[in-house]
Amino acid sequence: EAVVEAGALPVLAQGLRLSDAPHVRALVSNSLRALAGKSEAAAVAIAEADTLPVLQALAAQPDTGGQRTAALAALGAIATRLGEAGAYEHLREMVTQADVVPQTLPPVLHALAVLFGSSEDAGRHQAHFVAAGHMRKLQHLRAGADSVLRGAIEALNGAFPGEVVDQLQPGYEQALLDQLDNGAP
């Protein structure tokens, strides 16, 4: 918290964005992870410092100097705290950015499952998430996902009514059309 209050977060964010040294990126990522672990407010401040896209980009890099491992750990800690803080928009943006690096999705999806299960605005956020196409995309990803990502998608699915998840499965529309063609009601 003192780091945020002292105004050092922009310096850390700038170091993360501008450094070409993998060991510096790893150190900054580890600092952000530790900071996010302190409080929900710190995690929100980290997200608002525009560090999440940079961390996600680092997670796609080779693990030279431990930068990839540190970035993934930082993203996990930040996502967990953002979920506890009810910071839906930041988590949704992380899902959007994860197209490039799907391995960053599991902690984000677990955080969204917590948020959707406890937030007063859960219904509104869930509707937005579905309308934006994120749930449908995740259902398509699930088939080819590794066990960690598949488990995270299933955890998120558990935060939605079963009928919604069923309707977003690949092939659902075709199954309905087939029922109509076969005369089924």
Side-chain angles (χ1 to χ4, degrees):
E1 296 273 337
V3 172
V4 175
E5 292 173 13
L9 190 54
V11 175
L12 286 172
Q14 185 175 12
L16 190 64
R17 280 191 288 277
L18 298 180
S19 178
D20 290 332
H23 70 283
V24 171
R25 291 178 181 162
L27 285 171
V28 173
S29 296
N30 284 328
S31 296
L32 293 172
R33 177 189 46 79
L35 183 59
K38 300 287 184 191
S39 73
E40 295 168 6
V44 170
I46 291 167
E48 290 174 353
D50 213 20
T51 59
L52 300 178
V54 180
L55 287 168
Q56 286 180 297
L58 288 178
Q61 301 296 315
D63 203 20
T64 309
Q67 68 180 358
R68 180 177 182 274
T69 299
L72 286 169
L75 286 165
I78 295 164
T80 298
R81 287 297 195 166
L82 290 174
E84 293 167 359
Y88 168 72
E89 287 301 324
H90 293 300
L91 291 168
R92 184 196 54 76
E93 186 59 31
M94 290 175 80
V95 170
T96 301
Q97 297 294 325
D99 286 345
V100 178
V101 191
Q103 62 264 36
T104 64
L105 277 172
V108 177
L109 300 181
H110 283 291
L112 282 167
V114 168
L115 186 146
F116 291 157
S118 63
S119 170
E120 290 179 16
D121 292 331
R124 183 172 58 84
H125 293 320
Q126 286 173 311
H128 181 265
F129 198 75
V130 170
H134 298 306
M135 277 299 285
R136 183 174 304 278
K137 183 187 292 185
L138 291 170
Q139 302 317 307
H140 285 274
L141 269 177
R142 188 173 70 168
D146 63 20
S147 62
V148 173
L149 180 54
R150 191 172 31 260
I153 293 170
E154 290 169 7
L156 182 63
N157 286 350
F160 283 83
E163 307 83 46
V164 171
V165 175
D166 290 344
Q167 292 173 15
L168 296 170
Q169 296 301 315
Y172 179 79
E173 293 88 357
Q174 188 60 50
L176 287 177
L177 291 172
D178 290 347
Q179 284 180 0
L180 292 172
D181 284 344
N182 294 329

